Amino acid sequence: MVAAGAHRPGPLKQQNKAHKGGKHSGSSQRRAGGEVRRGGPGRLPRRELVGAGVHALQLCPQVLAEKRSLGSRDGPPHLVVLVPLHSRAAAHDTLHLLQSQDSAVVHVDEGRAGGFALLCPRLKQRWRFVTAQAGDLHAVLDLAKVADSLLFILDPVDGWDSAGEHCLSCLFAQGLPSYALAVPGGTDLPPKKRIDARKKLAKAIEKRFPEAKLFPLNTEQESLLLLRHLATQKQRHLAFRDRRAHLLAYAAEFVPGQESDLVGTLKVSGFVRGQTLDVNSLVHIVGHGDFQMSQVDAPPDPLSLNPRVVKGQKRSQDMEIQDDSVNGTDEMEEDVKVLMKADPNKQESLQSEVVPDPMEGEQTWPTEEELQEAEASLKANRKVVKVPKGTSKYQAAWIVDDEEEGSQEDDDDEDDDIDDDMMEEAVSQEGESSEEEEEPAEEECETMTVSECLRDDQYDEKVEEDEQMLERYKQERMDEMFPDEVDTPRDIPARVRFQKYRGLKSFRTSPWDPKENLPRDYARIFQFQDFSRTRKHLFRQIEKEETEGASVGWYVTLHVCNVPVSVMESFKEGKPLVLFSLLPHEQKMSVLNFLVRRHPSNSEPVRAKEELIFHCGFRRFRASPLFSQHTSADKHKLERFLRPDAALVVTVYAPITFPPASVLLFKQRSNGMHDLIATGSLLSVDPDRIVIKRLVLSGHPFKIFTKTAVVRYMFFNREDVMWFKPVELRTKWGRRGHIKEPLGTHGHMKCHFDGQLKSQDTVLLNLYKRVYPKWTYDPHVPEPVPWVRSESVLLVQEVEME
């Protein structure tokens, strides 16, 4: 019982710390039976945490098996690609440090391949290190497609330069595997500058690589720590490569064919990764195309951890010399075992296009029963519509006879009392004045010629490029201010110029048959009845069914048929040779749709149907795409330019690829450099996706009444007004209406609207036409010029901006 008036502690009472028993609390733990619960009620004791961890590991044996097999005796070597991100980044010193491990490590030099193999029998691990050529964007992206880990080499002061920033943007867009950051050098700096540089570097890396650890690389002990990190870190998965067998060529040999020395059989040796490799499937050589395989051999493993195999190292080195590899083949044939040979009955075909039959659409003369059925269906669907005199059946199909239009015609009685003669007088006066003003307008459009004797050719080429770029900027700006608006031609009748276009009552709800008036290129492509169902069925087969072939981790030699000699020449030059097996149907042409967003580094205008370079998953090709809006409707409006503020859908003719797959869009400059303009992913493979081009004809109100107005400058002759009379009108201020009748012979027309117009309003008429991409697919992409490295340091600028 507390006495009255006694002090009671409030909510802000001071809380003192509890007494600590010291570090030697073994007696209390023994009394508690070894269990000491710490923290809140939601925290598990250590024994329960260990049990939960073991249970979690038991739930995913696949993950454990994959982690243990990578770099082990049964799995493929751990492939590490070194990517220098700065011109001063010492990749050669890094390789030298990684090689200088303890005496238990065996090194196998690869000569021109730009790397080496590292074998550790004591740790039962093996690595393969490959250096990406500085500035070669294709080589970096191709190696990143198959790499287990990327090792970014940074400069100790600047981190990465402009070329490194460009390389990182492309790698992040394509999809990063596991990576690590190494900083060799920096020991020659004063201690204070070294600490400041490390702080700036760590601060900038937090933005670009969150939760990434920076490894200094100056001693053997630091290189050993880096190797342990690469071996134990969690592996990231790229979906487009995990579902397909792939390999990086360790050795290659070209055997010319009997008919020509330019085409022959390419023997590619390497370690199988991803999935089991079937000899009957097709194989895609990145940058060169699709090919068939004739057989798969199993030569001795050149990177085996077994000392008995390492003694035969001379045989593997003979294979690695690309120029004189034929000398070592006779010696290797003794140990080579043929795993499998292609079965012509089961082998995938290389047919990529359908050969259209010109007689396929021909029909025999219909029977009497078919004619009677056709007449009956026409009578059932026939409707009576009031049309002006002289209207064709095609125009009459545009006219929709609803109750809404009937109610509008009833409202027109108020405006019928207006004196039409007064209108025609005003129109005729305006027509005479317009005829007088036509001639000077034509004189203003004269072209002037400049003598070429006083011009410098090189300078004029630069000026012409600037003028073309200025014209593109103007067109992009005009399309942004006045979307889809075009000027009605005066020398050609509008009904002839826009005869392929049609009017729609509603862009969203009006029907449009996707099989109507298809171009001839559509006869060459393949289409799925249900693409998503086929994709799910294929992926389910990959996960459940075990295919026969070369398993993951085997060292095999693939005999690839009918390969041009240029593939071997590029391998001799030091370019990586990357192979991917294709899923069924992935060699066939169809219409691919990519969802992309413009890259922030690109600011130049990019028009539709302009040739671009695509990096889609494991493929690389050139094509001229269409841009369209990304909506959930059944029709999608064409965009004339790649918008910087919205995600767009890019449509091209290309070989089928099953998503998910990343996509990078590049544009080639006149000097050969490739600029990254957009990044995204594969959306669908759907030829029925309707892309609609919209044209907007504009007119201006000349005389305004209660609900009618005289509109001019939309057409310039009476016949055009009659032709486009069924199409609905709208205005920029939200009014809707239709053409009632033409006035005079100069294209003036009397229009009715659902309200009174404003004098500053603009009358618009929308026309629509379905468009298709151009068939400009080319699998051969020219090598880009190395990216120009800038002396300005982007990394430090980002830190200073904060």
Side-chain angles (χ1 to χ4, degrees):
M1 186 75 180
V2 181
H7 174 72
R8 292 184 178 88
L12 302 178
K13 177 189 175 184
Q14 178 179 348
Q15 298 289 339
N16 296 326
K17 290 184 178 180
H19 174 70
K20 294 183 179 179
K23 296 183 180 179
H24 306 285
S25 58
S27 59
S28 62
Q29 291 183 6
R30 283 193 296 272
R31 285 194 300 270
E35 290 191 9
V36 179
R37 290 187 176 268
R38 297 177 181 175
R43 185 169 180 178
L44 291 173
R46 181 173 181 79
R47 183 180 295 177
E48 294 180 21
L49 281 173
V50 172
V54 173
H55 181 62
L57 292 178
Q58 290 174 352
L59 288 178
C60 46
Q62 268 187 338
V63 177
L64 274 177
E66 180 186 356
K67 193 170 185 179
R68 289 169 182 167
S69 66
L70 182 62
S72 66
R73 181 184 62 183
D74 299 328
H78 194 130
L79 180 57
V80 182
V81 176
L82 279 71
V83 183
L85 295 181
H86 200 281
S87 57
R88 295 194 298 268
H92 183 269
D93 297 344
T94 304
L95 291 175
H96 184 69
L97 259 179
L98 291 171
Q99 290 179 10
S100 60
Q101 299 296 321
D102 52 12
S103 59
V105 178
V106 181
H107 305 113
V108 181
D109 293 327
E110 293 190 5
R112 300 181 188 177
F116 67 94
L118 193 64
L119 307 179
C120 299
R122 182 171 58 86
L123 300 176
K124 297 182 180 180
Q125 286 286 324
R126 52 181 180 170
W127 288 271
R128 186 185 175 196
F129 292 89
V130 179
T131 305
Q133 296 181 1
D136 192 348
L137 183 63
H138 285 179
V140 174
L141 293 177
D142 291 349
L143 287 172
K145 289 179 174 70
V146 292
D148 296 314
S149 300
L150 294 181
L151 181 58
F152 294 113
I153 311 299
L154 307 179
D155 183 71
V157 178
D158 299 336
W160 55 84
D161 55 9
S162 59
E165 176 71 20
H166 180 67
C167 179
L168 284 177
S169 299
C170 298
L171 286 174
F172 273 99
Q174 178 178 268
L176 267 185
S178 303
Y179 61 88
L181 306 176
V183 185
T187 55
D188 53 344
L189 294 174
K192 191 174 185 313
K193 286 188 177 180
R194 193 187 313 165
I195 294 172
D196 293 342
R198 188 170 179 81
K199 285 182 179 178
K200 283 185 178 179
L201 196 60
K203 193 172 183 181
I205 283 174
E206 284 180 4
K207 294 181 177 180
R208 197 67 168 169
F209 303 95
E211 301 179 1
K213 188 178 179 182
L214 199 61
F215 288 88
L217 204 59
N218 297 312
T219 61
E220 293 183 11
Q221 186 177 4
E222 291 174 345
S223 65
L224 183 60
L225 288 174
L226 178 61
L227 280 178
R228 286 181 179 176
H229 174 73
L230 291 173
T232 57
Q233 70 176 344
K234 184 179 178 181
Q235 291 297 313
R236 294 187 174 188
H237 292 274
L238 300 180
F240 72 88
R241 74 178 185 185
D242 289 343
R243 292 189 174 95
R244 299 169 179 85
H246 57 276
L247 60 87
L248 175 65
Y250 184 81
E253 177 192 354
F254 183 77
V255 180
Q258 298 178 354
E259 299 179 357
S260 173
D261 295 338
L262 300 178
V263 179
T265 301
L266 183 67
K267 297 181 180 180
V268 184
S269 299
F271 294 91
V272 180
R273 302 171 184 271
Q275 294 288 335
T276 303
L277 179 64
D278 185 10
V279 69
N280 294 317
S281 63
L282 298 180
V283 66
H284 176 80
I285 302 179
V286 177
H288 299 282
D290 304 334
F291 304 95
Q292 287 180 331
M293 293 180 288
S294 58
Q295 73 179 44
V296 177
D297 299 338
D301 190 347
L303 303 181
S304 175
L305 293 171
N306 189 348
R308 181 180 60 81
V309 182
V310 175
K311 290 181 182 177
Q313 183 178 334
K314 182 178 181 300
R315 292 195 296 269
S316 64
Q317 289 181 351
D318 291 338
M319 184 67 177
E320 288 158 19
I321 301 174
Q322 290 89 355
D323 295 331
D324 305 324
S325 59
V326 182
N327 301 330
T329 54
D330 297 335
E331 190 176 345
M332 289 187 62
E333 290 295 336
E334 302 174 0
D335 299 330
V336 170
K337 184 176 76 172
V338 178
L339 285 180
M340 62 196 82
K341 289 191 176 182
D343 185 358
N345 298 325
K346 298 180 180 179
Q347 198 170 23
E348 289 280 347
S349 172
L350 277 173
Q351 182 184 4
S352 61
E353 300 178 18
V354 179
V355 180
D357 184 6
M359 301 298 292
E360 187 177 1
E362 295 294 325
Q363 296 181 0
T364 58
W365 188 257
T367 61
E368 293 184 0
E369 296 179 357
E370 293 175 344
L371 289 174
Q372 291 176 0
E373 290 178 2
E375 288 182 3
S377 62
L378 283 175
K379 289 179 181 178
N381 297 329
R382 190 174 297 166
K383 59 181 179 179
V384 179
V385 181
K386 295 181 180 179
V387 297
K389 188 177 180 181
T391 305
S392 64
K393 292 182 179 179
Y394 181 68
Q395 287 176 310
W398 288 0
I399 299 178
V400 182
D401 191 16
D402 349 3
E403 298 177 357
E404 295 180 1
E405 291 190 0
S407 62
Q408 286 184 358
E409 289 177 3
D410 295 337
D411 295 336
D412 292 346
D413 296 337
E414 301 177 2
D415 299 323
D416 287 340
D417 299 332
I418 300 172
D419 191 3
D420 294 336
D421 297 334
M422 183 180 65
M423 285 187 183
E424 292 182 358
E425 273 183 17
V427 170
S428 60
Q429 291 175 4
E430 183 64 21
E432 292 175 359
S433 61
S434 62
E435 287 177 356
E436 295 174 357
E437 293 173 0
E438 282 179 3
E439 295 180 358
E442 294 177 357
E443 293 177 359
E444 292 176 359
C445 299
E446 290 182 357
T447 57
M448 299 179 64
T449 57
V450 182
S451 61
E452 297 182 357
C453 57
L454 301 176
R455 303 192 322 184
D456 184 6
D457 294 339
Q458 296 180 353
Y459 182 78
D460 284 342
E461 288 178 1
K462 296 179 181 178
V463 171
E464 288 177 1
E465 289 181 5
D466 292 342
E467 289 179 353
Q468 291 176 1
M469 188 59 64
L470 178 62
E471 185 63 27
R472 287 184 178 180
Y473 276 116
K474 286 182 179 179
Q475 292 176 359
E476 186 182 29
R477 180 64 176 163
M478 290 297 292
D479 187 65
E480 185 178 353
M481 295 174 61
F482 307 100
D484 303 323
E485 289 193 33
V486 296
D487 295 331
T488 306
R490 307 197 57 174
D491 53 346
I492 306 174
R495 61 187 182 279
V496 177
R497 169 64 181 83
F498 306 122
Q499 61 184 346
K500 293 184 179 180
Y501 292 81
R502 68 179 69 174
L504 293 179
K505 186 170 182 61
S506 171
F507 181 80
R508 185 178 62 86
T509 60
S510 296
W512 197 303
D513 186 5
K515 304 297 184 184
E516 176 187 358
N517 295 332
L518 296 177
R520 291 194 62 85
D521 288 337
Y522 263 53
R524 302 164 59 184
I525 65 173
F526 291 84
Q527 182 177 4
F528 294 96
Q529 187 174 4
D530 190 343
F531 177 74
S532 60
R533 186 178 64 182
T534 306
R535 172 178 168 272
K536 289 178 182 177
H537 177 66
L538 279 176
F539 289 173
R540 199 178 296 115
Q541 281 185 337
I542 294 172
E543 293 175 0
K544 294 183 178 180
E545 298 181 7
E546 294 183 1
T547 56
E548 296 181 358
S551 299
V552 177
W554 289 7
Y555 184 76
V556 297
T557 299
L558 310 181
H559 294 247
V560 188
C561 306
N562 300 325
V563 179
V565 71
S566 59
V567 180
M568 188 66 197
E569 292 174 353
S570 67
F571 182 66
K572 288 180 180 179
E573 294 173 359
K575 302 290 177 62
L577 188 60
V578 179
L579 288 81
F580 275 84
S581 68
L582 297 181
L583 299 178
H585 313 298
E586 284 196 326
Q587 79 279 11
K588 301 172 182 176
M589 296 290 291
S590 188
V591 178
L592 271 63
N593 303 302
F594 306 98
L595 181 61
V596 302
R597 189 177 288 272
R598 190 164 175 173
H599 196 263
S601 64
N602 178 262
S603 59
E604 296 182 0
V606 181
R607 285 188 64 93
K609 296 186 180 180
E610 191 174 347
E611 186 179 73
L612 300 178
I613 297 169
F614 289 75
H615 286 245
C616 173
F618 54 88
R619 290 189 185 274
R620 187 164 62 237
F621 57 89
R622 291 187 292 176
S624 300
L626 292 179
F627 303 143
S628 59
Q629 293 179 351
H630 178 51
T631 61
S632 59
D634 60 342
K635 296 181 288 296
H636 311 273
K637 192 178 83 67
L638 175 78
E639 292 288 348
R640 289 174 168 80
F641 290 89
L642 188 63
R643 300 293 183 191
D645 54 348
L648 296 180
V649 176
V650 176
T651 304
V652 291
Y653 290 113
I656 293 169
T657 303
F658 290 99
S662 59
V663 62
L664 287 76
L665 269 65
F666 292 89
K667 184 178 178 182
Q668 186 170 357
R669 293 188 195 171
S670 56
N671 58 3
M673 292 178 61
H674 291 180
D675 289 336
L676 180 64
I677 63 169
T679 60
S681 60
L682 178 60
L683 180 64
S684 64
V685 180
D686 185 14
D688 286 344
R689 189 178 190 275
I690 301 175
V691 180
I692 301 295
K693 181 180 180 181
R694 183 181 71 174
L695 283 187
V696 179
L697 305 181
S698 59
H700 302 275
F702 174 47
K703 295 283 184 180
I704 299 175
F705 302 96
T706 307
K707 284 192 176 182
T708 58
V710 177
V711 179
R712 59 180 176 178
Y713 301 149
M714 183 178 288
F715 304 109
F716 298 100
N717 58 71
R718 186 182 184 91
E719 290 76 14
D720 286 344
V721 177
M722 293 297 299
W723 178 265
F724 290 98
K725 186 177 179 181
V727 185
E728 187 181 17
L729 301 176
R730 68 177 184 89
T731 70
K732 289 189 175 181
W733 285 29
R735 296 297 181 192
R736 293 188 175 273
H738 61 272
I739 301 172
K740 289 193 68 175
E741 58 182 352
L743 299 176
T745 59
H746 295 282
H748 292 239
M749 53 189 182
K750 179 182 177 183
C751 303
H752 177 270
F753 295 93
D754 56 359
Q756 189 171 14
L757 297 186
K758 302 292 184 181
S759 58
Q760 62 269 35
D761 203 352
T762 305
V763 181
L764 306 176
L765 184 141
N766 294 337
L767 299 175
Y768 302 94
K769 179 184 74 169
R770 185 178 179 184
V771 289
Y772 305 90
K774 292 182 178 180
W775 193 290
T776 56
Y777 171 77
D778 186 3
H780 304 290
V781 177
E783 291 293 331
V785 174
W787 186 264
V788 178
R789 293 186 179 269
S790 174
E791 295 297 330
S792 61
V793 182
L794 299 177
L795 188 148
V796 177
Q797 288 178 356
E798 289 181 357
V799 175
E800 290 177 352
M801 285 175 64
E802 294 184 354

